[in-house]
Amino acid sequence: PPFCALGGPRLYNEVLPPGVLNVICSSDKDLGRHLVEHPGVDKISFTGSTATGKHVLSGAAKTLKRVTVELGGNDPAIVMPDVDPAKVAPYLFRGALGNSGQVCMAIKRIFCHESIYDELCAELANVAAGTKFGNGMDKDVVYGPVNNQMQYDKVRELLADAVEQGAEVLCGGIPPASKPGQGFLFPPVVLKNVKEGVRIVDEEQFGPVVPVIPYKTTEEAIQRANATTYGLGASVWSGDVDTAADVAAKLVAGTTWVNDHGNIIDGAPFGGAKESGIGHEGGEEGLLAFMQLQVVKVKKGQAKFSRL
């Protein structure tokens, strides 16, 4: 079971009335389906992959349940030509590879202007070289393993496919095939000379691999950033905040950051566009999603139907 996730509910249940918050852990793969389809459940809030989210929506449709789904992403970061690659690289690296890339709104694609492309790629590799990677229980380790074998194998497959199609590995490399007991350590990888049509660019990798893609014009970068079925997050990086904000407004995403990525503000709604979700979590919009609007109309004036 996910012990960290169980810790919070234990604390909440010290003050909440019995039955308000329940946690169910089971190895039964049909448990989720039973909950989604159960007539006693009025609202579903799901966070996970787009594929599983579609199954949740399908099951909930049988009883027209109210549903909020926060799903996968393939977040682009557009780096404008006026930035200093050495200064922006650490922020891009953290935005892409924090938690070893296992974050729904992590940067999954970096679009960099061609005039600073080589320099930024080199700076990202330098950041990776200076970052401690390994067992998360060891002192000073910043980036740990991939969560499980299935995800380890998937990210390894995507990386191998990219290399086979000509991508240049600037740091890290293809790790060995997984074996029982070896763990799932996957060194951070920065890829150069990769483009759309390669799976690592087109799909959500959800792991410690980030492709860096050159572009010529801002309009081209916007078009390519939006050319995905996902729409969870996006970011624009520039020394000109006003210009960056104009570009950000043209990106189809639930949340778009300027000179930042992945920072969720308390009280602000968070949700995805396109196949990255329906509805919002957080903020007033998120709270309203758990309520059923009811309109009560009372005709005022003389009561015509009274016995008196």
Side-chain angles (χ1 to χ4, degrees):
F3 294 110
C4 291
L6 293 175
R10 287 197 185 101
L11 294 174
Y12 289 132
N13 280 326
E14 292 179 4
V15 295
L16 291 174
V20 172
L21 177 60
N22 300 290
V23 179
I24 303 174
C25 295
S26 174
S27 59
D28 183 358
K29 294 182 179 180
D30 287 330
L31 175 62
R33 179 175 60 82
H34 292 319
L35 285 171
V36 168
E37 296 180 359
H38 196 283
V41 175
D42 297 321
K43 168 73 179 183
I44 302 291
S45 180
F46 172 79
T47 299
S49 72
T50 295
T52 304
K54 290 178 179 180
H55 287 298
V56 170
L57 289 168
S58 177
K62 295 178 180 179
T63 51
L64 292 182
K65 286 181 173 56
R66 278 51 179 165
V67 180
T68 299
V69 287
E70 191 264 284
L71 307 176
N74 194 6
D75 290 17
I78 297 178
V79 183
M80 305 293 279
D82 64 339
V83 304
D84 183 335
K87 292 179 179 179
V88 77
Y91 295 93
L92 291 170
F93 190 87
R94 285 196 295 270
L97 298 174
N99 202 39
S100 291
Q102 298 165 107
V103 181
C104 57
M105 67 282 198
I107 296 172
K108 308 289 197 318
R109 301 170 290 156
I110 298 176
F111 290 94
C112 177
H113 192 269
E114 62 181 6
S115 65
I116 58 171
Y117 179 73
D118 290 335
E119 189 177 355
L120 179 64
C121 288
E123 292 294 345
L124 288 169
N126 288 338
V127 175
T131 300
K132 191 167 183 180
F133 162 82
N135 188 326
M137 302 302 292
D138 293 345
K139 185 179 179 181
D140 298 327
V141 167
V142 178
Y143 297 96
V146 172
N147 182 266
N148 56 66
Q149 181 172 342
M150 181 181 72
Q151 193 61 26
Y152 179 94
D153 292 343
K154 176 186 176 181
V155 179
R156 184 177 181 275
E157 177 184 317
L158 292 175
L159 176 56
D161 174 74
V163 171
E164 184 178 343
Q165 297 195 57
E168 180 182 349
V169 177
L170 299 180
C171 58
I174 303 174
S178 59
K179 296 180 181 179
Q182 77 170 18
F184 308 115
L185 293 175
F186 202 123
V189 177
V190 176
L191 291 177
K192 185 179 181 182
N193 298 330
V194 63
K195 60 183 179 179
E196 294 87 346
V198 179
R199 290 179 62 199
I200 197 69
V201 175
D202 297 343
E203 301 179 22
E204 180 186 26
Q205 63 269 47
F206 210 77
V209 181
V210 60
V212 188
I213 308 161
Y215 72 88
K216 295 180 181 294
T217 68
T218 301
E219 288 304 316
E220 174 201 339
I222 294 170
Q223 186 275 325
R224 295 171 72 181
N226 285 334
T228 174
T229 58
Y230 294 103
L232 189 58
S235 58
V236 183
W237 302 77
S238 173
D240 185 335
V241 174
D242 291 335
T243 297
D246 289 340
V247 174
K250 298 176 182 178
L251 297 176
V252 183
T255 302
T256 303
W257 292 269
V258 172
N259 294 336
D260 195 8
H261 196 108
N263 182 23
I264 302 300
I265 301 173
D266 291 339
F270 180 77
K274 296 189 278 190
E275 292 191 16
S276 286
I278 296 175
H280 291 83
E281 300 169 345
E284 182 178 353
E285 293 83 357
L287 289 174
L288 290 174
F290 284 86
M291 300 180 184
Q292 175 62 55
L293 177 64
Q294 180 187 20
V295 178
V296 177
K297 295 184 177 181
V298 178
K299 186 175 183 180
K300 296 185 177 180
Q302 184 177 2
K304 300 180 179 179
F305 309 110
S306 171
R307 285 181 177 270
L308 300 178

